[in-house]
Every structure is written in C-alpha cells, then in structure tokens.
C-alpha cells in the first residue's frame, strides 16, 4: 500500500530502464506499465537506456517514475526533486502532494496548502485565498505561523 522513494540511488546501474519497468511490474501487483511508459515519454527518457549511461538527474527521474507508477495508497518521497532539472521539477511538482518546509522553492506551483503544527492542522486554504485574505505570500505566512 506504500510506494517509497529513498533519497539515495538504489537501482542496479547495469539494468536498462525497460528492465526496471519489467522488474517493478513483476514485483508490485499495483504497478502501472502504461503510466510508467507515458512518464518516460513525457520526460524524454529512452526505455532502452542503461542506468549507468544516464545523468544523476535522469536516474532520479527514473526512480521517481518507478515509484509514482504504482497505484499505492500512500507515496513517501524523500527529497524527490533534489537533482532534477527545472523543467522536470515543474512536471513532478504538478503531479503530487508534497510535504516540505522549503516553501519559497515551490510556492509558485502550489494550489493549496495545509499547515500542521504539533500534529494539528492549523490552516487549510488555497494559495490564492492566502494571498488575498492575508495579503502575503504562503512563505511569509508560513514563517509567521512557525516562528520560534
């Protein structure tokens, strides 16, 4: 029920991307090959490429594609966009729920936000409502709410 993306590379470099898709499809009953191949195409990654020939950022994209191509109930992503280029980062951020305290880095792609403080939801609003009603950016409001 959980699809986990660690912050470190964990795939064998000698494998081709298509082999990894086969591996994940064999291992996870909820793996969606069509989704994985669509994401590869969108991010311009050849399924015939061996991991060892790919850049660090492209390897991270492959790991993310494999993780996000499952029909899991919960996705746990540890630093999912660390080494990813800006264009791919926008694509990735537009497809997920993200937990972070680095609001300034991602604010422009947010639709809505939830602030949790000590396990309690203190705010759940659209980004537009925050800007209109509070007269400040999400990052500014976040800093105000969570100031030490």
């Amino acid at each position: 029920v959980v699809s986990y993306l660690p912050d470190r590379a964990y795939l064998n470099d000698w494998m081709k991307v298509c082999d990894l898709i086969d591996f994940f499809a064999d291992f996870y009953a909820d793996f969606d090959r069509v989704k994985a191949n669509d994401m590869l195409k969108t991010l311009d990654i050849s399924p015939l490429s061996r991991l060892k020939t790919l850049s660090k950022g492209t390897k991270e994209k492959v790991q993310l594609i494999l993780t996000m191509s499952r029909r899991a109930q919960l996705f746990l992503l540890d630093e999912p966009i660390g080494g990813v280029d800006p264009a791919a980062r926008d694509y990735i951020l537009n497809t997920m729920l993200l937990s972070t305290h680095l609001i300034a880095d991602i604010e422009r792609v947010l639709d809505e936000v939830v602030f949790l403080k000590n396990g309690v939801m203190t705010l759940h609003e659209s980004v537009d409502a925050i800007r209109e009603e509070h007269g400040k950016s999400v990052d500014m409001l976040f800093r105000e709410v969570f100031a030490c």
Side-chain angles (χ1 to χ4, degrees), residues 28-41:
Y28 297 106
D30 64 356
F31 189 79
D32 185 340
R33 285 177 183 271
V34 172
K35 184 175 183 179
N37 285 312
D38 286 347
M39 290 175 76
L40 286 173
K41 190 177 291 181

Side-chain angles (χ1 to χ4, degrees), residues 8-138:
R8 299 188 197 288
Y10 65 96
L11 302 171
N12 292 318
D13 263 357
W14 58 266
M15 294 183 81
K16 292 180 183 176
V17 174
C18 59
D19 296 335
L20 290 164
I21 289 174
D22 290 341
F23 178 76
F24 268 64
D26 287 345
F27 196 79
Y28 297 106
D30 64 356
F31 189 79
D32 185 340
R33 285 177 183 271
V34 172
K35 184 175 183 179
N37 285 312
D38 286 347
M39 290 175 76
L40 286 173
K41 190 177 291 181
T42 299
L43 294 172
D44 197 27
I45 300 171
S46 170
L48 300 176
S49 297
R50 290 196 188 277
L51 275 182
K52 66 181 170 187
T53 66
L54 302 176
S55 69
K56 180 181 183 251
T58 302
K59 287 178 188 178
E60 289 180 9
K61 289 179 205 174
V62 170
Q63 288 185 168
L64 183 63
I65 288 168
L66 294 169
T67 302
M68 297 302 294
S69 292
R70 292 192 47 214
R71 291 183 290 274
Q73 295 175 24
L74 177 65
F75 294 89
L76 297 176
L77 311 173
D78 191 354
E79 301 293 338
I81 58 173
V84 177
D85 61 84
R89 185 176 295 179
D90 288 347
Y91 171 76
I92 292 164
L93 292 174
N94 284 324
T95 62
M96 69 174 60
L97 171 70
L98 183 66
S99 173
T100 186
H101 62 279
L102 303 172
I103 308 299
D105 292 343
I106 62 161
E107 182 169 348
R108 63 184 170 74
V109 298
L110 298 176
D111 295 319
E112 60 184 85
V113 297
V114 175
F115 286 178
L116 299 174
K117 188 171 187 176
N118 299 322
V120 177
M121 182 171 58
T122 60
L123 176 82
H124 180 199
E125 287 188 45
S126 75
V127 171
D128 292 338
I130 289 172
R131 291 179 182 137
E132 290 171 16
E133 294 171 19
H134 298 275
K136 36 186 99 164
S137 70
V138 175

